[in-house]
Amino acid sequence: MQGGWERAESELTRATSELAAFGAIPPMADGLYAIGEIRRLRGDLQGAEETLRQAHALGRSPQPALALIRLASGNARSAAASIESALAEPTTGHWSRIRLLAAQVDIALATSNVGLARTAADELARVGEGYRSPALEAGRQQALGRVLLAEGDARGAVRELRGAVRSWHEVGARYDVAKARYHLAEALRASGDDDDAELELRAAREAFDQLGAAPDLEAADAEIQAVAARATRPDHVRMTFMFTDIEGSTTLAEALGDDAWERILAWHDAALRGLIARHGGQVVNSTGDGFFVAFVRAPSGMACAVGIQRALDEHRRSSGFAPAVRIGLHTAEATQRGSDYSGVGVHVAARVAALASGGEIVASAATLAEAAMLESAGPLREVAVKGVSAPIQVASVPWST
């Protein structure tokens, strides 16, 4: 657990040799299985399989390690069949089943079988109920976090995987901490937090290197290279873009004075950034009195816009004042370079925002359709957008409670 794998293998080899002289078959088989696990983690798949077969000959099931070797070798179908067969065995003990379920989550996600991964993660949580164990809790959090990420809930995944990192730290399991950090980096990147994602990924990479976890080190290096390539190579993506702007900000600043205006602006920025983060948005740029934000999903962008207007309205009623903010949303293809976006779609989104009045949300028909709000929004109207030949359809979005 502490990462002394070379020493552990040496001690296990010595112990299994001594046990053989006494004919102590069950502990000898367990020792051979443990050697197989160490070799698998270090990337010696052939050596791992050899000792697992020896353990199997002595009556010890080679699962889930053998299934994970099949997965690492590129034979996902065989891995899935092996785990399913092992879980179907009626003699599977409580703790053995927990290990098998954790492996089934890994294998199911590798084969894009998210439904099976969810089923396995849910059973893993049920089986572990009633046991006050940091390791069980860490395993539950890690499995659930990975499933949530595959289901598209990046924020939920970040929450669970951060918990897994903390729990594995409590256990003192260096490899598992690094593995949880690696998956946390995936979730952070999916939620738009590229800076924290890089920190977690590089921390995981350093731990894999120190441990001698060759396959994981290779995967971390590949991901670091892919991130660097994405940062320099433009990608074509479809996003929902949101622009916000305080109506009459120059007039307000003059009327209130610099000190009062700075306090209001600081509150405005903190409130909006909090809501944007809560809805999975990525702040692309701040314009001083507004934000340019990108969302992967239109419903998230729409929910964020509504949340902003409601928060401003509530502050207005409780504190007497909040600036009037106009918001525009448009869903379109765009070019992404690193954390920046450009293209006609971004230009249209900014123009849509300019159509709104203070306290109003205006959205394009494309965003309304993807957010399933065409019927609940106001009537569509055609507007001409500078720089775009064809008119676009927009509508006001009701937001009051």
Side-chain angles (χ1 to χ4, degrees), residues 9 13 34-45 47-48 51:
E9 183 175 350
T13 301
I35 292 172
E37 275 282 62
I38 292 169
R39 290 177 177 177
R40 178 182 70 83
L41 292 172
R42 297 177 72 179
D44 180 8
L45 301 186
T51 53

Side-chain angles (χ1 to χ4, degrees), residues 96-117:
S96 295
R97 190 164 187 84
I98 286 172
R99 289 191 288 271
L100 290 169
L101 287 167
Q104 188 173 47
V105 171
D106 289 345
I107 294 166
L109 290 175
T111 56
S112 300
N113 192 341
V114 180
L116 178 59

Side-chain angles (χ1 to χ4, degrees), residues 189-211:
R189 199 168 303 285
S191 67
D193 191 347
D194 290 345
D195 288 343
D196 278 359
E198 183 177 3
L199 288 174
E200 296 293 348
L201 181 57
R202 291 193 178 275
R205 192 253 177 230
E206 182 179 356
F208 292 145
D209 189 24
Q210 292 172 353
L211 289 163

Side-chain angles (χ1 to χ4, degrees), residues 25-390:
I25 301 301
M28 181 181 170
D30 287 341
L32 289 168
Y33 180 89
I35 292 172
E37 275 282 62
I38 292 169
R39 290 177 177 177
R40 178 182 70 83
L41 292 172
R42 297 177 72 179
D44 180 8
L45 301 186
Q46 184 176 349
E49 184 166 347
E50 180 184 337
T51 53
L52 290 171
R53 289 191 181 281
Q54 292 175 31
H56 179 63
L58 296 175
R60 171 59 154 93
S61 170
Q63 303 299 349
L66 188 57
L68 293 172
I69 288 172
R70 293 286 176 267
L71 181 65
S73 302
N75 195 343
R77 179 177 296 182
S78 175
S82 295
I83 282 294
E84 186 176 352
S85 177
L87 283 166
E89 288 290 329
T91 56
T92 299
H94 183 88
W95 301 107
S96 295
R97 190 164 187 84
I98 286 172
R99 289 191 288 271
L100 290 169
L101 287 167
Q104 188 173 47
V105 171
D106 289 345
I107 294 166
L109 290 175
T111 56
S112 300
N113 192 341
V114 180
L116 178 59
R118 163 59 78 172
T119 300
D122 288 346
E123 184 181 349
L124 181 63
R126 290 195 302 272
V127 172
E129 285 178 357
Y131 294 89
R132 298 176 62 83
S133 161
L136 281 180
E137 178 62 8
R140 181 198 68 78
Q141 291 170 314
Q142 187 161 324
L144 178 56
R146 295 196 64 205
V147 171
L148 287 171
L149 180 59
E151 291 174 340
D153 184 0
R155 288 181 60 250
V158 168
R159 181 184 63 249
E160 295 296 333
L161 289 165
R162 283 197 192 281
V165 171
R166 288 193 298 270
S167 297
W168 284 128
H169 265 301
E170 185 179 348
V171 174
R174 290 183 63 200
Y175 172 75
D176 295 294
V177 169
K179 197 71 174 176
R181 284 190 184 279
Y182 179 85
H183 295 308
L184 175 58
E186 294 178 315
L188 286 165
R189 199 168 303 285
S191 67
D193 191 347
D194 290 345
D195 288 343
D196 278 359
E198 183 177 3
L199 288 174
E200 296 293 348
L201 181 57
R202 291 193 178 275
R205 192 253 177 230
E206 182 179 356
F208 292 145
D209 189 24
Q210 292 172 353
L211 289 163
D216 294 291
L217 177 61
E218 184 180 347
D221 281 338
E223 180 61 20
I224 289 170
Q225 290 173 10
V227 169
R230 286 196 295 270
T232 57
R233 184 186 67 245
D235 286 331
H236 297 287
V237 295
R238 184 173 178 82
M239 304 287 284
T240 293
F241 300 109
M242 179 177 79
F243 281 86
T244 74
D245 176 58
I246 297 177
E247 185 180 50
S249 57
T250 303
T251 303
L252 277 172
E254 290 178 354
L256 295 171
D258 289 345
D259 290 343
W261 175 244
E262 286 301 323
R263 287 195 297 272
I264 289 172
L265 199 57
W267 175 85
H268 160 274
D269 288 359
L272 266 65
R273 283 186 182 275
L275 286 163
I276 290 165
R278 195 178 308 163
H279 289 88
Q282 171 199 347
V283 175
V284 181
N285 191 19
S286 172
T287 60
D289 55 1
F291 293 99
F292 168 29
V293 187
F295 295 89
V296 175
R297 300 173 62 249
S300 300
M302 189 64 72
C304 182
V306 170
I308 288 171
Q309 294 294 17
R310 288 179 177 175
L312 290 167
D313 187 57
E314 176 60 30
H315 191 76
R316 203 171 286 123
R317 283 186 283 180
S318 62
S319 302
F321 177 78
V325 172
R326 49 176 159 238
I327 301 176
L329 295 139
H330 178 55
T331 302
E333 303 288 333
T335 299
Q336 181 182 7
R337 287 182 176 84
S339 59
D340 196 15
Y341 299 87
S342 61
V344 175
V346 175
H347 171 74
V348 170
R351 295 294 180 180
V352 169
L355 296 171
S357 302
E360 184 183 16
I361 301 170
V362 174
S364 69
T367 299
L368 293 169
E370 292 195 16
M373 291 189 64
L374 276 173
E375 294 184 2
S376 58
L380 289 170
R381 62 186 190 274
E382 284 194 348
V383 295
V385 175
K386 185 178 179 180
V388 179
S389 56

